[in-house]
Amino acid sequence: MTCVPDATLLDTLARLLGPKGFTRDPADLAPWLTDWRGRVHGAAAALLSPSSTAEVAEVLRLADKHRVAIVPQGGNTSMVAGATPPADGAALILSTRRMHAIRSLSAEDNVAVAEAGVVLSDLHDAAASIGRRFPLSLASKGTATIGGLISTNAGGTQVLRFGTMRALVLGIEAVLPSGEIFDGLSALRKDNRGYDLRQLLAGAEGTLGVITAASLRLVPAIGLRAVAWVGLRESQAAITLLRRLEAATGEAVESFEIVPDEGLALVLRHIPGTRAPLADAHRWNLLIEAVAPAGAADPADSLGTVLGDAIADGLIEDAAIAANEAQAESFWRLRESMSEAERIDGLAAKHDVSVPVSAMPAFLDEGRAAVEARFPGTRVLAFGHLGDGNVHFNVRAPIGVDDRAWLERDGKAVSAFVHDMAGARGGSLSAEHGIGQTKLADFARTAGPARLAALRAIKEALDPRGIMNPGKLVPGPRAVAQGGRSQ
Amino acid sequence: MTCVPDATLLDTLARLLGPKGFTRDPADLAPWLTDWRGRVHGAAAALLSPSSTAEVAEVLRLADKHRVAIVPQGGNTSMVAGATPPADGAALILSTRRMHAIRSLSAEDNVAVAEAGVVLSDLHDAAASIGRRFPLSLASKGTATIGGLISTNAGGTQVLRFGTMRALVLGIEAVLPSGEIFDGLSALRKDNRGYDLRQLLAGAEGTLGVITAASLRLVPAIGLRAVAWVGLRESQAAITLLRRLEAATGEAVESFEIVPDEGLALVLRHIPGTRAPLADAHRWNLLIEAVAPAGAADPADSLGTVLGDAIADGLIEDAAIAANEAQAESFWRLRESMSEAERIDGLAAKHDVSVPVSAMPAFLDEGRAAVEARFPGTRVLAFGHLGDGNVHFNVRAPIGVDDRAWLERDGKAVSAFVHDMAGARGGSLSAEHGIGQTKLADFARTAGPARLAALRAIKEALDPRGIMNPGKLVPGPRAVAQGGRSQ
């Protein structure tokens, strides 16, 4: 149990952080009390915006002493309400937005040291300024911050080649719940000194401490890129094509995204200025990007060869390689407009599931059939990161039904059904978004006793007073796990 | 405190595991009681060799109940006595060697599921049989096992491109100290369900449970490789060359190893059949390997262009690209014979340190000067994985001094000095080998309070009775940390 902060503590914090770092003004707090998707509403006693790691350490020391809950917040772009405070209003929001310095940039080391509040697109710009790039990007890049991206182990469209956020983190500086500073910022490519606390803090959703800065891997800037749009009939053929491309180009393939025909149709209907890249409609579409550093062979050559062979032997039906950057952008716009087109079309029960890559074609086909049979009239729209075994598997209401009422009534049952389908294939109910608040119940239901016991033991060990982001990620002891083995 | 196993428990274990899985015969135990380097000697009450995950679970359940120490052991190739039991003889060695099945191999998924006792070279062979490879290799590949390699987060000569063992682990099955089975084996490229227990078990040196199987990443087989030997005067120029190669070839460079002139001289003197690849001697030598998948451009072309330009503009002094596989092997033999040549030449205080890559040239030059000034007459020989910021920084006795007596007398002071030099540059006293027993004191001295507190809390949380590999990795509470921040 955490406590309500008393006036003395709030005064102490106000003096510590100054007027830029402390506010209780409801107008200042309002934007930070509701989650990104507008579904979860919380309350907070104050908004703290420390300007340094030392200030964060002092805040946590005080919070631990007074047993007051801290909710760390970056850009507040969580898809699972992971940064939204509880409704009781006793928590303090700790925003990292004033800690937005890029402390160092090294082209020689291929490392950027960024504070937690650095916005992703600012990091992209900084890396570009030294001829490098930070190879992780996602739709909220103009708002999402480094601290939040690490805490949720964010994914995006380049995971195929470079992995998720945790693979790009070379070092972390964090404040532990005790107020002690963990300085693991040094960007070592090899370091075997005990349990990897950096990897434990990555993906911990702020429940084990506050990440204040990170050393991040940079890679060479893109010299040339080739973007292709592919039409095909069988989802299984997409995996075969991916393996052919990998064999022919090494790790040049950075994105391998799938969009079904009805998804492309939605985009063409709702997003002005879009047009289909291929003459005919195809059951499935792929967006493929391959890149090469400056001076290397044009990736369009090997991409073109593989796609040409695949058309010739009937693996795929058609393909187009973008002739220029404008066309490449227009291909990407089709993929990136999927969520917006879907939203314009109506509400959906959304899922962010993963299965082993080779199991994904069957999951797409059989999963869709199973959902539409179990919930008659519903329409499945699954699209996304096929090369990572991760799709956004969304279920829309039956036509003619009030989608809000349907979601209210059937949403939980649909989600449990989809999550169980993924679990039955060895998959995960959260590939990218984390657990936060909105997936906590389904996670508790499916995690199994070994995983749950380990998570709770770690949480209790590092945050014994339970002040860090309570109610997120770690199911409470009342959540009863079912089944034998953990998944 | 753990307990001595009583006769009843030993009988129960003997019945559970059968004659192939249980022995107390001193002749059977003997090879497993001394570490790989023959410096640390322990004792054990029995050697357990379970044949299945279920048997491991039952062993741990019994050990936990009776509070008996378990020392997991794979190939017993630890460089830090991480698998050698305590001297008190109360522990049970749990060998994974009977769990040596490769449960599945998928070229489509690029995944191998291997049990803990699979020997690394057997995994290499299995991957090759389906046109893939497992991209981690090291000198002890014919003995080291998958479970041990994961538990020590092993490195090797291909870390530059593919990372250490933890980067290749897609899933883990383990038995927790309670005897519960954690089934995290599913090879998901994305899975954000709470704290990453797989990454916590990797590098935990068997102190948090027993890894019983793992899903491991495979990559395309090598189509063509180009191996070069380079001579140069300044270590700093090596880093500049590495960045040029990366820019020109993407991620084709898999190995970037440094050998000093006196190291090459030792090999040429002590290892029969070796010869220098270049006409003249050079202060530093580099061994560089670049690879490409089948059908792609020959990496020798871009490697040759970069090296030619580097000679032309004076960055390096000379270079040779192996004309055929036999010559490539002969270049590699020079690098791989370093440890043997050094051993023939005499004893050394050995260190496995890392610093940020860009700090390595200065560390090589200034570190050597500092050690030889502080310990007059000693001779530093540093070589290894320059591209990873990790060298084997070995200090040999002064000429004419009895090396064994010198090591006995000065070894600890030399090691503390070298470790502190690395620490002062943000480096690690253990890049590859782990902490085990032999680095425990220096780790406790340098780790800092936040890191130590977190390690102890996690150990206590997951192994509250302290049965798993006691005396390894986690400094006991009597080890007093010094200094303020953790490193």
Side-chain angles (χ1 to χ4, degrees), chain B residues 72-102:
Chain B
Q73 208 176 70
N76 193 27
T77 59
S78 171
M79 301 294 275
V80 291
T84 307
D88 65 12
L92 304 168
I93 296 177
L94 190 158
S95 168
T96 58
R97 106 192 68 154
R98 287 178 70 213
M99 298 177 65
H100 53 64
I102 293 178

Side-chain angles (χ1 to χ4, degrees), chain B residues 2 69-71 84-86 91 206-207 437 459 463 466-472:
Chain B
T2 50
I70 295 286
V71 177
T84 307
T207 63
Q437 301 183 55
K459 169 72 174 173
D463 181 22
I467 62 166
M468 290 308 310
N469 212 7
K472 317 290 170 27

Side-chain angles (χ1 to χ4, degrees), chain A residues 88-114:
Chain A
D88 65 13
L92 303 169
I93 295 176
L94 191 158
S95 169
T96 58
R97 104 191 69 153
R98 287 178 69 212
M99 298 178 65
H100 54 63
I102 293 178
R103 293 189 191 165
S104 66
L105 265 178
S106 166
E108 186 179 29
D109 255 352
N110 284 317
V111 172
V113 179

Side-chain angles (χ1 to χ4, degrees), chain B residues 419-436:
Chain B
H419 291 160
D420 288 349
M421 282 199 315
R425 287 168 163 82
S428 170
L429 58 81
S430 183
E432 292 192 318
H433 297 164
I435 301 300

Side-chain angles (χ1 to χ4, degrees), chain A residues 144-480:
Chain A
T145 62
I146 296 305
L149 291 162
I150 297 172
S151 293
T152 54
N153 184 29
T157 50
Q158 290 158 308
V159 172
L160 186 61
R161 181 168 180 190
F162 295 106
T164 58
M165 194 72 186
R166 68 168 72 251
L168 301 170
V169 170
L170 301 172
I172 281 183
E173 175 193 271
V175 179
L176 302 181
S178 61
E180 284 184 300
I181 295 169
F182 168 67
D183 183 356
L185 202 52
S186 196
L188 301 174
R189 291 186 58 90
K190 289 182 180 171
D191 181 14
N192 278 347
R193 287 177 292 172
Y195 312 142
D196 194 334
L197 300 179
R198 291 165 296 203
Q199 290 297 335
L200 188 59
L201 290 164
E205 301 187 12
T207 63
L208 299 178
V210 178
I211 293 169
T212 50
S215 298
L216 300 163
R217 179 185 174 203
L218 304 180
V219 301
I222 294 174
L224 287 166
R225 69 166 178 167
V227 177
W229 192 272
V230 174
L232 69 169
R233 198 183 341 253
E234 303 291 341
S235 55
Q236 180 61 46
I239 302 294
T240 306
L241 181 66
L242 173 62
R243 298 309 172 212
R244 286 190 191 179
L245 281 167
E246 286 174 340
T249 70
E251 286 165 334
V253 179
E254 294 204 354
S255 298
F256 198 87
E257 304 277 314
I258 194 163
V259 173
D261 53 0
E262 65 271 25
L264 179 58
L266 274 190
V267 170
L268 299 174
R269 187 185 317 149
H270 292 300
I271 309 297
T274 53
R275 55 187 292 265
L278 303 175
D280 298 318
H282 303 272
R283 175 69 196 95
W284 296 101
N285 302 271
L286 298 173
L287 176 67
I288 302 170
E289 177 165 316
V291 313
D298 188 343
D301 296 343
S302 49
L303 187 58
T305 302
V306 172
L307 293 178
D309 291 349
I311 292 174
D313 65 16
L315 186 71
I316 60 176
E317 295 176 327
D318 199 1
I321 295 182
N324 49 49
E325 270 298 300
Q327 199 171 24
E329 285 300 319
S330 76
F331 287 5
W332 265 110
R333 188 160 173 240
L334 296 173
R335 164 66 185 89
E336 287 172 341
S337 301
M338 276 294 309
S339 293
E340 189 188 344
E342 192 184 24
R343 191 166 55 243
I344 294 169
D345 206 62
L347 292 174
K350 298 191 173 193
H351 312 94
D352 162 46
V353 294
S354 62
V355 296
V357 178
S358 63
M360 186 49 85
F363 184 81
L364 287 172
D365 298 333
E366 297 164 15
R368 176 193 175 130
V371 167
E372 293 177 356
R374 170 72 184 73
F375 302 96
T378 59
R379 297 158 297 154
V380 167
L381 185 60
F383 62 94
H385 320 301
L386 182 67
D388 306 324
N390 165 216
V391 292
H392 302 292
F393 192 97
N394 299 339
V395 183
R396 293 180 293 162
I399 291 173
V401 168
D402 178 294
D403 51 8
R404 194 167 298 275
W406 170 82
L407 199 57
E408 193 74 32
R409 191 187 67 233
D410 289 355
K412 279 191 183 170
V414 168
S415 294
F417 188 82
V418 171
H419 292 161
D420 287 348
M421 282 198 315
R425 287 167 164 82
S428 170
L429 58 80
S430 183
E432 292 192 318
H433 296 165
I435 301 299
Q437 300 183 56
T438 61
K439 289 189 183 169
L440 200 56
D442 254 18
F443 179 48
R445 183 176 66 81
T446 57
R451 186 189 290 264
L452 274 184
L455 256 60
R456 288 179 185 141
I458 293 166
K459 169 72 175 174
E460 169 77 19
L462 295 182
D463 181 22
R465 295 165 78 92
I467 62 166
M468 289 309 309
N469 211 8
K472 317 290 171 24
L473 192 146
V474 185
R478 275 175 302 177
V480 178

Side-chain angles (χ1 to χ4, degrees), chain B residues 97-117:
Chain B
R97 106 192 68 154
R98 287 178 70 213
M99 298 177 65
H100 53 64
I102 293 178
R103 294 189 191 164
S104 67
L105 266 178
S106 166
E108 186 178 30
D109 254 352
N110 284 316
V111 173
V113 178
E115 291 186 343

Side-chain angles (χ1 to χ4, degrees), chain B residues 327-406:
Chain B
Q327 200 170 22
E329 285 300 319
S330 75
F331 287 5
W332 265 110
R333 187 160 173 240
L334 296 173
R335 164 66 186 90
E336 287 171 342
S337 300
M338 275 296 308
S339 293
E340 189 188 345
E342 192 184 25
R343 190 166 56 242
I344 294 169
D345 206 62
L347 292 174
K350 299 192 171 191
H351 312 96
D352 162 47
V353 294
S354 62
V355 296
V357 178
S358 64
M360 186 50 85
F363 184 80
L364 287 172
D365 298 333
E366 298 164 14
R368 175 191 175 131
V371 167
E372 292 177 357
R374 170 71 183 75
F375 301 96
T378 59
R379 298 158 298 153
V380 168
L381 185 59
F383 62 94
H385 320 301
L386 183 67
D388 306 324
N390 166 215
V391 292
H392 301 293
F393 192 96
N394 299 340
V395 182
R396 293 180 293 162
I399 291 173
V401 168
D402 179 293
D403 53 6
R404 194 167 299 276
W406 170 81

